[in-house]
Amino acid sequence: MQMKLSYIFVVLFISSLFLSSCKERDRGGRTDTRTSGEITFYADESFSPIVEELREQFEFQYPQAHLKPVYTNEIEGFNQIKELKTCLFFTSRALKPSEVSYLKTKRQLPECFPIAYDGLSLIVNTSNNDTCITVKDVKRILSGEAKNWNDIVKGSNRGEIEVVFDNKNSATLHYVVDSILDGKPINSPNIVAAKTSKEVIDYVHETPNAIGVIGSNWLNDHRDSTNTTFKKNIHVMSVSMTDEAKPYNSWKPYQVYLLDGRYPFVRTIYCILVDPQRALPYSFAHYVTSPRGQLIVLKSGMLPYRGDIVIKEVKVK
């Protein structure tokens, strides 16, 4: 009787190991749970400040979780998702129907949902006080029609306009082509491609005739809890939808102007998730849309996608 019991125990133990091994293979070797483990995910580099803030807070709340971000361009991020080399990607556009269909051929059902709004900002050197510009002039510069500062600011002696982007495959550049130029190519003769958003800021800081194109989540001085102070080493341009830009009809990418529509260049940040296991990537993605995650987005200077935001006017004497 003792031998039979021992035999049954051994069989059950071996069976449990076999089932555990099969389950591990079904998960592709992953061992992460919703609150523990280690994963690598991707994000467009232009959103790295807000993604870093969210990652740090998530790991603080769940010390057993370790998230390794790879900050890259939009094309590389989508390739990683489509080839199932990552479960999570943050970028500025949703999946196209063809991309959803492609993932379904791999027996994957992707999730794609908005998490925040970001202002596409124009920055200039601190020596440049011509900081009001119209949407029309922005298009003229990007299309190559306006090549010199004198073309948009009469009497300016700053010479040629240099337009600085982070890189040619970034979400920032794709937004400019798709949403500002209506699908037409950028034809400005003086395009500078920096490698990162930080390098855009550094280049503009050192170049009096440059205009940098950058996400507003890079600009806030986080020492100011009101999110109304931008970095001191550059000027942020105010943009007007009228025919002539003046200080009273031009707006900077503050949260309130992203919300009420006065600032014209607003893009949506999306989370793209392909995680059939619903483990750590799933947990972090939905943490971003939770009330806590959306509060972090708000405090970062960006506009959260979820939540009721009330605008109050304050009279200052």
Side-chain angles (χ1 to χ4, degrees):
M1 185 69 179
Q2 183 65 33
M3 290 178 63
K4 290 183 178 179
L5 288 174
S6 299
Y7 175 75
I8 292 171
F9 173 76
V10 170
V11 170
L12 289 175
F13 179 71
I14 294 174
S15 297
S16 66
L17 288 177
F18 175 76
L19 291 173
S20 176
S21 176
C22 289
K23 185 177 181 182
E24 189 64 31
R25 286 199 299 270
D26 289 342
R27 297 193 72 213
R30 287 173 54 185
T31 59
D32 57 291
T33 71
R34 291 195 179 185
T35 59
S36 68
E38 183 177 302
I39 62 159
T40 298
F41 70 95
Y42 283 69
D44 190 280
E45 185 273 336
S46 61
F47 304 126
S48 59
I50 180 59
V51 173
E52 273 297 293
E53 183 71 22
L54 289 162
R55 180 192 65 80
E56 289 175 3
Q57 293 301 320
F58 182 84
E59 289 184 344
F60 179 79
Q61 185 168 339
Y62 302 108
Q64 299 297 319
H66 303 286
L67 309 175
K68 292 186 175 181
V70 176
Y71 295 115
T72 184
N73 60 66
E74 188 175 82
I75 291 177
E76 175 63 20
F78 274 111
N79 285 339
Q80 293 292 322
I81 279 285
K82 288 190 289 185
E83 297 307 314
L84 305 180
K85 294 180 179 179
T86 187
C87 296
L88 182 61
F89 178 43
F90 294 94
T91 189
S92 65
R93 73 165 175 86
L95 285 168
K96 299 176 182 176
S98 60
E99 292 167 333
V100 174
S101 298
Y102 176 79
L103 286 166
K104 286 182 178 179
T105 65
K106 295 195 170 189
R107 298 184 178 181
Q108 302 294 328
L109 188 61
E111 294 183 59
C112 181
F113 44 86
I115 61 171
Y117 298 106
D118 180 42
L120 195 75
S121 306
L122 305 173
I123 60 175
V124 293
N125 187 270
T126 51
S127 67
N128 188 346
N129 292 318
D130 295 317
T131 57
C132 292
I133 192 169
T134 66
V135 172
K136 180 180 179 181
D137 281 339
V138 172
K139 292 181 178 181
R140 291 176 63 223
I141 292 170
L142 295 170
S143 66
E145 180 184 345
K147 300 178 177 64
N148 299 290
W149 278 97
N150 187 51
D151 294 330
I152 62 171
V153 180
K154 297 303 179 185
S156 175
N157 60 0
R158 295 188 183 280
E160 293 183 329
I161 300 172
E162 292 188 43
V163 183
V164 192
F165 289 93
D166 42 9
N167 69 78
K168 64 181 181 179
N169 293 322
S170 72
T172 299
L173 189 139
H174 290 164
Y175 174 89
V176 167
V177 172
D178 294 341
S179 300
I180 298 180
L181 295 178
D182 301 319
K184 298 176 182 177
I186 298 173
N187 286 323
S188 175
N190 294 306
I191 295 290
V192 178
K195 293 181 180 179
T196 65
S197 299
K198 181 182 182 301
E199 289 184 20
V200 173
I201 296 174
D202 292 342
Y203 189 92
V204 170
H205 173 63
E206 297 170 357
T207 312
N209 63 322
I211 292 181
V213 185
I214 195 172
S216 63
N217 73 119
W218 272 91
L219 300 179
N220 284 75
D221 185 340
H222 294 292
R223 293 170 297 180
D224 177 10
S225 62
T226 66
N227 291 322
T228 58
T229 303
F230 292 123
K231 292 183 181 295
K232 303 296 186 183
N233 59 337
I234 45 88
H235 283 165
V236 179
M237 300 191 83
S238 300
V239 184
S240 175
M241 288 184 277
T242 66
D243 291 334
E244 186 177 5
K246 299 290 184 181
Y248 62 82
N249 64 16
S250 304
W251 314 100
K252 296 184 188 293
Y254 294 127
Q255 290 165 312
V256 62
Y257 302 142
L258 303 184
L259 179 63
D260 66 16
R262 279 183 276 189
Y263 191 77
F265 304 140
V266 182
R267 57 182 178 172
T268 307
I269 303 176
Y270 291 90
C271 174
I272 297 174
L273 178 67
V274 183
D275 185 14
Q277 308 299 334
R278 296 201 165 194
L280 193 52
Y282 176 92
S283 180
F284 179 53
H286 287 274
Y287 170 85
V288 173
T289 62
S290 70
R292 184 179 181 85
Q294 292 290 280
L295 182 60
I296 294 169
V297 171
L298 179 67
K299 289 184 175 181
S300 75
M302 299 177 69
L303 187 65
Y305 183 79
R306 300 179 184 275
D308 296 325
I309 298 176
V310 179
I311 300 174
K312 294 182 179 181
E313 293 187 7
V314 178
K315 293 183 179 180
V316 179
K317 294 183 180 180

